[in-house]
Amino acid sequence: MSSKKDLMLGLFIVTAGVVILLGKLGVFGFLGRTLWPIVLLLPGLLLHVLFFGRRASAAILIPGGILTVYGVLFLICSFWGWDLMHSLWPILILGIAVGLYEYYLYERPRPGAVFPTALGLMLLSVVIFIFTWLNTGAFYIIALVLIAAGIWLIYGRNRTKGGKWSRGW
């Protein structure tokens, strides 16, 4: 019986030593700085599980959708840099739209004003995201695509199957 207690005490001491060593090496600080968005993501997913497990009403999907979208957004930013938030911040508005849309989708009878509100917030988010995106280098990509499309319309469409130019009128 004593050997079982000694084994448990030994495991506890080894575990304590590993935790202290990892703490001194900065592993927990790194995890705390990088993975803190999971504190938002897990409750959002849990709220979805509660609804789909038929333990809660559809109203719980509003905060569930918001927390899930925010958790994913913050997790992306914590891995790839918070400079992304400069162009991804409209997703904060989209999170509210997702929560409202999920509520509209699963609530019976369907609430009337929720869908237009969710749709309006989603469109607002997309429009702001597009304008934010245009202020980056993506503006040059759009310009090049427009130039290529114009050249194709001018030269590419006016060829016949034989390779000769056609007048088109």
Side-chain angles (χ1 to χ4, degrees):
M1 186 95 127
S2 176
S3 66
K4 195 172 195 179
K5 285 184 182 181
D6 289 344
L7 177 66
M8 294 302 287
L9 181 62
L11 285 174
F12 176 75
I13 291 173
V14 168
T15 303
V18 168
V19 168
I20 291 170
L21 181 63
L22 290 176
K24 284 300 196 181
L25 292 174
V27 171
F28 296 123
F30 170 75
L31 292 177
R33 284 188 307 275
T34 307
L35 299 179
W36 69 265
I38 292 177
V39 172
L40 297 175
L41 184 61
L42 288 180
L45 295 175
L46 178 65
L47 293 175
H48 282 87
V49 167
L50 288 174
F51 171 73
F52 289 111
R54 304 198 190 286
R55 299 201 184 268
S57 69
I60 205 160
L61 292 174
I62 297 172
I66 294 170
L67 288 172
T68 302
V69 170
Y70 287 7
V72 169
L73 171 65
F74 295 153
L75 200 58
I76 289 169
C77 287
S78 70
F79 277 114
W80 285 288
W82 287 95
D83 291 340
L84 286 174
M85 201 61 154
H86 176 73
S87 59
L88 294 181
W89 70 266
I91 294 177
L92 295 172
I93 300 169
L94 184 67
I96 299 168
V98 166
L100 289 173
Y101 181 71
E102 285 182 331
Y103 172 66
Y104 169 79
L105 204 58
Y106 292 105
E107 179 66 19
R108 298 289 184 251
R110 293 213 168 139
V114 174
F115 181 70
T117 305
L119 186 63
L121 287 172
M122 182 180 58
L123 290 175
L124 176 67
S125 174
V126 168
V127 166
I128 293 172
F129 182 74
I130 289 171
F131 280 112
T132 304
W133 192 59
L134 290 177
N135 285 333
T136 64
F139 195 67
Y140 296 108
I141 294 170
I142 292 172
L144 291 174
V145 167
L146 289 174
I147 291 169
I151 290 171
W152 179 78
L153 285 173
I154 292 169
Y155 294 111
R157 288 186 53 195
N158 289 332
R159 289 195 167 260
T160 61
K161 290 182 183 179
K164 298 189 181 200
W165 294 95
S166 67
R167 289 246 194 242
W169 60 75

